[in-house]
Amino acid sequence: MPSPMKLREKKYLNGGFKTPSGKMEFMSKVLEKYVGKPGFEALPVYAPPKYSRESTPVLAQEYPFILNTGSRLPMFIHTRTFRLTWTMSLRPNHPAADISPVDAARLGLKQDDLIRISSPKDAIVVKANLTQMVQQGVIHMYHGHPEADVNSILEGDYLDPLSGFPGFKSTLCKVEKV
Amino acid sequence: MEKVIYLEIDLCSGCGACVVACMDQNDIFPEKGQSALRRIYQIEKGEFPSANIQYVSAACLHCQDSPCVIGCPTGAISKCNRTGAVIVNKELCIGCHSCSLACPFGVPRYDLDEKMQKCNLCMERVEAGLEPACVRVCPMKALKFEFVNKVQREKELKFAGNILNAVHKTVGHTTK
């Protein structure tokens, strides 16, 4: 019996893609109609995030770090395996934010020191995890911790203007030793 | 010769599935302060962006001439002659930590009753013809349960291929 879950493959062979031209579009025919309105471009062009060193240099002086709440650890699938004691024990110093050893040295931080990560909206207190996995000037904080909910320090309307997706990987924050 | 747990180090992605499988198999409760009998470590060398980050899944190596067996004053640690596993008899263990002084790899851990606990090679699974729990779940197949000489043969074969590639790159196909 064929699997009812099986998806049809290569649907584009009959009737093309679901775009106005029926082809794969490098320049969007849908977005082309709105060119001229703020934030709309037909070609995929880079625009700096709403809060960033490029868009808000004054704010970036007070909040110099890029906060990424969308980075992942291999043992956690979003928040689903986060609150189980077995998988939680794989990262025993939770909740902890990843910080570059270079930044940590500048702030006088040692492994597992408490830090306050603040945005203009709110702040959370977590431990510092020093690792080369993260670039200098960037903070990786993992979402899903009830005691330190990092997404609560993002503005509710901090969204991508086109897709409406929240800017989890591109906001500004500052880090202080507690 | 018995099968051993072998880690192909370049394949380990540090996901921790082996540790969770170990805790499941051995009824370990980390929230009570118990330690899994297998652990993963993240080893970092160099600096971002060219840092070399590798993972190691570590547990008892079940040595042939085990220092912990020799070091135990009560004979609580022994080597199983069927599976080759180094095992602890908790009835005899007095919690003196001699094994932790003897073990060069830092393997022994102490349970809530202060007695030594360590990987027992999932003896009950192995004797039933199954793989140890950690090997069974490894998604990268980095952990293998195999005769060590067979694993080494496969590794050597790969190495031999690499040598041949290197020779061809430097001197070209000159030999027939």
Side-chain angles (χ1 to χ4, degrees), chain B residues 150-170:
Chain B
K150 193 178 167 200
V151 174
Q152 289 303 99
R153 203 196 119 73
E154 281 162 15
K155 195 172 173 182
E156 198 171 39
L157 193 64
K158 212 194 275 176
F159 176 67
N162 287 348
I163 289 184
L164 208 58
N165 286 343
V167 170
H168 285 169
K169 258 187 207 150
T170 47

Side-chain angles (χ1 to χ4, degrees), chain B:
Chain B
M1 189 182 281
E2 302 91 3
K3 284 187 178 179
V4 296
I5 298 178
Y6 181 88
L7 173 68
E8 193 147 333
I9 223 138
D10 289 344
L11 292 182
C12 182
S13 66
C15 70
C18 50
V19 180
V20 173
C22 179
M23 290 192 277
D24 184 15
Q25 172 71 22
N26 296 295
D27 293 329
I28 283 162
F29 299 95
E31 69 274 27
K32 289 185 189 164
Q34 288 178 304
S35 162
L37 311 181
R38 178 168 280 284
R39 275 83 48 179
I40 46 165
Y41 293 96
Q42 180 176 317
I43 310 294
E44 300 185 353
K45 280 183 186 153
E47 282 183 14
F48 189 97
S50 54
N52 183 359
I53 295 168
Q54 283 205 310
Y55 300 91
V56 177
S57 169
C60 177
L61 301 169
H62 301 280
C63 315
Q64 284 304 316
D65 195 2
S66 316
C68 60
V69 175
I70 300 161
C72 181
T74 62
I77 312 172
S78 58
K79 186 139 176 89
C80 171
N81 55 14
R82 295 189 306 279
T83 58
V86 175
I87 46 176
V88 195
N89 181 348
K90 274 202 171 185
E91 308 260 302
L92 297 178
C93 176
I94 54 169
C96 69
H97 308 164
S98 296
C99 48
S100 67
L101 299 179
C103 178
F105 308 112
V107 165
R109 292 290 190 281
Y110 298 88
D111 206 347
L112 301 176
D113 56 6
E114 301 292 330
K115 294 189 177 184
M116 200 267 261
Q117 59 164 11
K118 61 179 282 307
C119 165
N120 68 350
L121 206 73
C122 282
M123 264 177 61
E124 56 280 24
R125 286 180 60 88
V126 170
E127 290 194 297
L130 302 168
E131 291 172 322
C134 53
V135 175
R136 186 184 165 269
V137 298
C138 182
M140 297 301 291
K141 306 257 182 272
L143 284 171
K144 299 176 198 316
F145 189 58
E146 202 34 275
F147 297 106
V148 72
N149 281 354
K150 193 178 167 200
V151 174
Q152 289 303 99
R153 203 196 119 73
E154 281 162 15
K155 195 172 173 182
E156 198 171 39
L157 193 64
K158 212 194 275 176
F159 176 67
N162 287 348
I163 289 184
L164 208 58
N165 286 343
V167 170
H168 285 169
K169 258 187 207 150
T170 47
V171 287
H173 290 264
T174 48
T175 50
K176 272 263 166 181

Side-chain angles (χ1 to χ4, degrees), chain A residues 74-76 85-87 89-90 101-102 130-136, chain B residues 14-15 19-20 23-24 28 30-31 42 44 46-48 51 53 55:
Chain A
M75 54 284 213
F76 303 127
T85 47
W86 283 346
T87 38
S89 75
L90 297 171
V102 182
L130 277 56
T131 173
Q132 297 288 352
M133 292 282 261
V134 54
Q135 188 174 1
Q136 210 179 319
Chain B
C15 70
V19 180
V20 173
M23 290 192 277
D24 184 15
I28 283 162
E31 69 274 27
Q42 180 176 317
E44 300 185 353
E47 282 183 14
F48 189 97
I53 295 168
Y55 300 91

